[in-house]
Amino acid sequence: MKSNISNSILLFLLMLNVNMAIAQTTTEKKWWKEAVFYQIYMPSYADSNGDGYGDFKGMTQKLEYLKELGIKGIWLTPFLTSPKVDNGYDIANYYEVDPTYGTKADFDLFLKEAHKKGIKVIIDMVFNHTSTACKWFQESRKSKDNPYRDYYIWKDKPNNWESFFGGTAWEKDNLTNQYYYHKFDAKMADLNWSNPKVVTEVQKILRFWLDAGVDGFRLDVINFLNTNGITSDNPIKDGKQDHIHDIDQAGVKNAMRIIKSTVNEYDNRFIVGEIGSDKIEVLKQYQSQDLLDVVFNFNFGSIKTFSTKRVFDELQSMEKNMSNYPTLFFGSHDMPRMIDRLADGNQDRALALTALILTAKGVPFIYYGEEIGMHISIAKNLDEMIDIQGRTHYRLALEEGKSTDEALLEGNEHNRDKSRSPMQWNEKAFAGFSTAKTWIKINPDYKTINVAVLQSQKKSILNSYKKLIALRNQEKVLQYGVYDTLELKEDQISYTRSFEGEKITVILNFGSKKEIKIPTGAKIVMGNKILKSNSFLIYKN
């Protein structure tokens, strides 16, 4: 009997400790839990020298705009030396700023000025692969006994693994008559993470940029790391390859632990990981105190078509499954713009979805241009298609015997240029982004959809963004609050969050017009009790 009582007490104490640990993880004060992040796609934000590409000097000039918007964190896409086969995600030198974007001194000034304005900066880092122009790879291919040979993965005979961009993941190199592995383009060779020298190189790179003052990293396709070598062929299901051996290998978590421990040598830094999956079961296993601070929740952020129930179900799923905080976003450089993909061009719905990511529990990320309602840009011919993924699918379609029109449709289906057109600052030539022809075409709607025009309109989407971000910045309950309620009723999502005695309720209506009864004494902070379709109400209890 005493044994049963003792066991019950031990079980109770264990459960209590677990619950206390979860509560502490959720409410622990961290700057990144309080920040609204803004993703800047480097080539497309602000060009200071008229070469058609964004650069650090241009971005430094726009920091006051971001401060006024209320941004507390910036995520920069890659800016290191690169041939730009994949717009910088193919790094040739991890220690140098690509001349397209300026110099290391330009970066240092940008970082210094951002910090002066209370804005943290995290940078994109690609450790899955390097450019084949990287010194490591150039040495690696010289001979089979070269000291850099095992930095990459070489085989006499390839297996059936496919490239993420389409086609085989193997490329034959005639110097040694062996094949090297590339999960992405043939000019992006995968690193061999089972080689301790590669791990040491990665740690040196992390420390270099942490010493430079960056506040953290966004880690690109971090669960694709090849840590266990080339194993079995992937099985084929329903005519498609099932990626069970080339992604999420057994050693990936240990690699992440090494990265996290290295970053933890520095105070107050942040890591967000891109996990190549939209399944919560996969995503959740990489987010913990010894792995990644947060992961991008593609289960939520990459929803292809709008559904109130789908959005709600994913909110519920993240609350149930994610330790610490989920991430909240609907746009990025890899997917069509949110206003078209999820809102069918409707600004009211786009704004309601933004209200959700800025008031629900999680770390919000805004993609540049969303705040002014920028739309997708479609390539009308192959010359307008810059993205390697789109161009690869165009080529594969032609090889399959499809016509050029059919190939263009296929290419545009996979083309990520849709969301990469230059930021639209004003109605002047080149949208105020540049003074010359731009690296990618400007959306022709820039004369009416731009910062200058929308700033002057009191009820514009831009000024509504400012109000929402200001609300999140000033209300701790929107940064740290837990859900008291999280409900769906007739195309209406509602939740109440509480923290240290404060409560805020948010109602998002995606259905028919409704009148909302709010509690006596409640104060409306945004919205109206008469909720039209695609509108929201926020009140303090």
Side-chain angles (χ1 to χ4, degrees):
M1 186 68 173
K2 285 183 179 179
S3 176
N4 289 339
I5 293 171
S6 297
N7 287 340
S8 297
I9 292 171
L10 285 171
L11 181 60
F12 170 76
L13 290 173
L14 179 62
M15 291 176 66
L16 183 64
N17 286 335
V18 169
N19 289 333
M20 287 176 67
I22 292 171
Q24 183 180 4
T25 301
T26 303
T27 59
E28 185 182 5
K29 298 293 193 299
K30 295 285 187 182
W31 67 264
W32 48 265
K33 294 179 180 178
E34 301 176 7
V36 175
F37 282 87
Y38 186 92
Q39 181 192 352
I40 292 178
Y41 192 67
M42 286 292 299
S44 296
Y45 201 61
D47 172 21
S48 70
N49 61 2
D51 67 355
Y53 284 85
D55 51 47
F56 278 112
K57 286 183 177 178
M59 291 192 304
T60 303
Q61 293 166 8
K62 300 301 182 183
L63 283 171
E64 186 61 29
Y65 165 78
L66 292 174
K67 181 182 177 183
E68 290 177 3
L69 186 59
I71 298 304
K72 300 289 187 183
I74 292 173
W75 155 25
L76 297 178
T77 57
F79 56 83
L80 303 176
T81 302
S82 168
K84 299 184 190 64
V85 170
D86 192 18
N87 268 355
Y89 283 93
D90 49 320
I91 296 172
N93 189 316
Y94 285 93
Y95 299 97
E96 294 180 354
V97 172
D98 192 287
T100 301
Y101 305 123
T103 64
K104 177 63 163 51
D106 294 335
F107 167 79
D108 291 338
L109 179 62
F110 168 80
L111 187 62
K112 180 182 176 182
E113 293 302 314
H115 285 166
K116 277 185 184 177
K117 295 181 185 300
I119 301 173
K120 305 279 191 180
V121 178
I122 66 171
I123 66 174
D124 225 320
M125 198 55 76
V126 187
F127 291 135
N128 180 74
H129 52 265
T130 74
S131 167
T132 52
C134 179
K135 172 192 169 183
W136 303 345
F137 185 80
Q138 290 300 307
E139 287 293 321
S140 176
R141 67 187 290 261
K142 286 180 179 179
S143 67
K144 292 180 181 180
D145 58 359
N146 188 280
Y148 285 91
R149 186 68 169 184
D150 289 338
Y151 273 47
Y152 300 89
I153 298 159
W154 295 89
K155 294 289 179 185
D156 289 324
K157 184 179 178 182
N159 65 0
N160 77 336
W161 291 2
E162 292 176 337
S163 164
F164 188 81
F165 288 163
T168 179
W170 295 92
E171 184 78 2
K172 190 172 186 179
D173 189 88
N174 292 328
L175 275 181
T176 57
N177 287 318
Q178 279 194 320
Y179 294 83
Y180 67 87
Y181 177 62
H182 60 90
K183 183 61 184 169
F184 295 90
D185 187 74
K187 294 183 179 179
M188 298 155 66
D190 274 46
L191 287 165
N192 175 19
W193 272 77
S194 62
N195 181 353
K197 291 182 180 178
V198 168
V199 177
T200 300
E201 294 277 11
V202 165
Q203 290 179 296
K204 283 170 57 181
I205 293 161
L206 290 168
R207 291 181 183 120
F208 176 85
W209 289 102
L210 289 163
D211 287 338
V214 302
D215 299 290
F217 301 95
R218 180 264 190 189
L219 300 177
D220 186 61
V221 291
I222 196 65
N223 65 316
F224 282 29
L225 300 184
N226 195 294
T227 57
N228 295 77
I230 304 303
T231 57
S232 306
D233 281 358
N234 283 323
I236 306 298
K237 287 187 178 179
D238 301 322
K240 293 185 178 181
Q241 196 166 120
D242 189 11
H243 296 276
I244 64 173
H245 297 303
D246 55 342
I247 302 174
D248 298 306
Q249 290 191 346
V252 166
K253 288 182 182 177
N254 190 52
M256 289 183 186
R257 288 186 185 99
I258 293 169
I259 291 172
K260 183 66 181 294
S261 66
T262 306
V263 173
N264 280 350
E265 293 170 8
Y266 299 75
D267 292 334
N268 218 19
R269 301 305 204 270
F270 172 56
I271 301 178
V272 53
E274 180 194 28
I275 304 299
S277 175
D278 60 1
K279 295 178 174 60
I280 194 77
E281 297 78 14
V282 175
L283 295 167
K284 70 178 184 180
Q285 63 180 294
Y286 291 112
Q287 183 167 306
S288 70
Q289 289 190 336
D290 66 331
L291 296 174
L292 304 172
D293 291 316
V294 297
V295 300
F296 280 123
N297 286 97
F298 291 110
N299 60 304
F300 177 82
S302 63
I303 295 171
K304 289 185 178 179
T305 55
F306 178 75
S307 159
T308 309
K309 186 176 186 307
R310 173 71 190 279
V311 170
F312 175 77
D313 286 347
E314 295 300 346
L315 280 175
Q316 266 199 329
S317 177
M318 291 187 296
E319 174 64 7
K320 178 182 176 183
N321 289 288
M322 300 302 292
S323 64
N324 212 330
Y325 277 24
T327 53
L328 300 168
F329 64 97
F330 286 122
S332 83
H333 62 291
D334 283 333
M335 60 183 77
R337 288 214 171 255
M338 178 261 277
I339 196 169
D340 299 300
R341 192 178 90 251
L342 297 179
D344 297 325
N346 184 315
Q347 277 198 4
D348 289 337
R349 187 190 291 173
L351 193 59
L353 290 169
T354 301
L356 188 155
I357 68 171
L358 290 169
T359 60
K361 178 183 168 186
V363 182
F365 285 79
I366 293 168
Y367 185 54
Y368 85 96
E370 286 182 352
E371 75 274 22
I372 60 171
M374 280 180 64
H375 290 278
I376 61 173
S377 179
I378 302 295
K380 294 180 180 178
N381 52 59
L382 183 60
D383 289 339
E384 289 186 352
M385 192 179 296
I386 310 298
D387 178 33
I388 186 64
Q389 181 170 290
R391 293 180 72 90
T392 298
H393 280 274
Y394 180 95
R395 174 179 56 78
L396 291 172
L398 290 179
E399 289 174 2
E400 291 170 4
K402 294 181 179 179
S403 68
T404 53
D405 287 344
E406 290 171 327
L408 185 63
L409 285 172
E410 184 77 16
N412 268 320
E413 176 69 23
H414 297 273
N415 185 15
R416 296 168 298 176
D417 293 339
K418 297 185 187 77
S419 59
R420 298 177 178 183
S421 58
M423 180 66 175
Q424 296 164 199
W425 293 104
N426 55 47
E427 69 278 12
K428 296 178 182 177
F430 307 108
F433 161 78
S434 180
T435 56
K437 183 180 179 181
T438 54
W439 74 277
I440 193 172
K441 76 171 184 176
I442 293 169
N443 199 313
D445 64 11
Y446 76 89
K447 291 193 175 182
T448 53
I449 298 176
N450 64 67
V451 171
V453 166
L454 296 173
Q455 277 179 331
S456 64
Q457 298 173 2
K458 187 177 179 181
K459 295 186 177 180
S460 69
I461 187 171
L462 174 59
N463 286 319
S464 296
Y465 261 77
K466 288 181 180 179
K467 289 178 182 177
L468 280 166
I469 295 171
L471 180 64
R472 189 186 187 279
N473 285 342
Q474 72 189 28
E475 297 289 350
K476 292 295 181 186
V477 65
L478 295 180
Q479 299 164 13
Y480 292 103
V482 298
Y483 287 124
D484 290 347
T485 62
L486 177 58
E487 299 173 334
L488 172 66
K489 185 179 180 182
E490 297 177 352
D491 277 332
Q492 180 178 291
I493 297 172
S494 64
Y495 43 87
T496 296
R497 296 181 65 193
S498 63
F499 179 70
E500 294 182 345
E502 294 284 330
K503 287 182 183 287
I504 282 185
T505 296
V506 180
I507 303 172
L508 303 133
N509 180 38
F510 298 105
S512 57
K513 182 178 176 181
K514 297 178 180 67
E515 182 173 359
I516 305 298
K517 292 182 180 180
I518 66 173
T520 303
K523 178 186 176 183
I524 294 176
V525 290
M526 278 195 78
N528 194 292
K529 286 191 288 186
I530 305 297
L531 274 182
K532 298 177 182 178
S533 180
N534 296 312
S535 65
F536 60 92
L537 171 65
I538 305 171
Y539 63 85
K540 295 183 75 170
N541 299 58

